[in-house]
Amino acid sequence: MQALNFPQYEFRFKSSENSIYIFDEIRKKFVVLQPEEWVRQHVVKYLMVEKNYPKSLINVEKELKINGLKKRYDVVVFNSDGTIAIMVECKAPEIPIQQKTFDQIARYNLALKATYLMVTNGKSHYYCMMDYEKEAYQFLRGLPNYKE
């Protein structure tokens, strides 16, 4: 897999049935290593190692319903009270981050109400903080550390 714009992390891999798998610490299982999964696993490590979020507050690839349609978010980080602190939308490195990517995470966030959003393809990262009173968002240089 290609190098991404994240620090270097250690991952566990295995090969089976002509596929390579990467171990997902959150789901506690090996998953097929696809380009988007490579980005997702880097995001999880980044949140735990660089931003100090506890593994117990991170959730990966869960289903949600939006206007009756089943969708899946990539990564969310919960606050200790169960509200959502951060939602991350991951794309494969070859997928450019465009307006439709922001539209997608905004639709998901209508249901989840995260405070912070991150959109990444592993090479480019975008962060913003939601202001629900003003119905606006502010772009940031990065995500806050845990307990900030």
Side-chain angles (χ1 to χ4, degrees):
M1 283 282 149
Q2 75 182 77
L4 300 177
N5 186 15
F6 284 102
Q8 290 272 312
Y9 299 115
E10 293 287 321
F11 295 101
R12 289 174 44 203
F13 299 96
K14 77 173 187 178
S15 182
S16 177
E17 300 172 13
N18 297 325
S19 292
I20 297 174
Y21 293 78
I22 187 168
F23 188 76
D24 182 320
E25 291 184 52
I26 306 302
R27 292 179 275 186
K28 296 181 174 73
K29 66 179 184 178
F30 281 94
V31 293
V32 175
L33 181 57
Q34 300 285 348
E36 184 177 315
E37 190 63 45
W38 184 235
V39 173
R40 188 169 22 254
Q41 293 306 314
H42 276 78
V43 166
V44 169
K45 289 280 194 181
Y46 170 78
L47 291 167
M48 292 188 310
V49 175
E50 311 306 323
K51 296 298 179 179
N52 299 310
Y53 285 92
K55 189 187 312 188
S56 61
L57 295 179
I58 300 173
N59 207 308
V60 174
E61 283 254 289
K62 291 287 191 214
E63 189 176 281
L64 70 149
K65 284 195 177 176
I66 299 173
N67 297 328
L69 300 174
K70 291 181 181 180
K71 302 289 183 182
R72 293 181 85 75
Y73 61 72
D74 285 308
V75 180
V76 297
V77 179
F78 290 93
N79 292 306
S80 53
D81 67 2
T83 60
I84 296 177
I86 302 168
M87 180 170 47
V88 183
E89 178 61 31
C90 301
K91 296 296 182 191
E94 68 273 6
I95 305 293
I97 303 297
Q98 298 176 331
Q99 184 62 47
K100 67 182 183 180
T101 312
F102 288 99
D103 294 345
Q104 178 184 1
I105 199 169
R107 277 192 308 275
Y108 290 7
N109 202 40
L110 289 173
L112 298 178
K113 302 280 192 247
T115 305
Y116 297 95
L117 304 178
M118 176 182 179
V119 176
T120 182
N121 62 5
K123 297 185 293 187
S124 299
H125 317 302
Y126 299 92
Y127 315 94
C128 62
M129 181 175 72
M130 302 303 298
D131 183 338
Y132 290 101
E133 285 183 19
K134 294 180 182 172
E135 296 184 350
Y137 54 87
Q138 174 186 351
F139 279 94
L140 306 170
R141 292 188 182 273
L143 294 173
N145 291 325
Y146 181 63
K147 293 292 187 191
E148 267 186 19

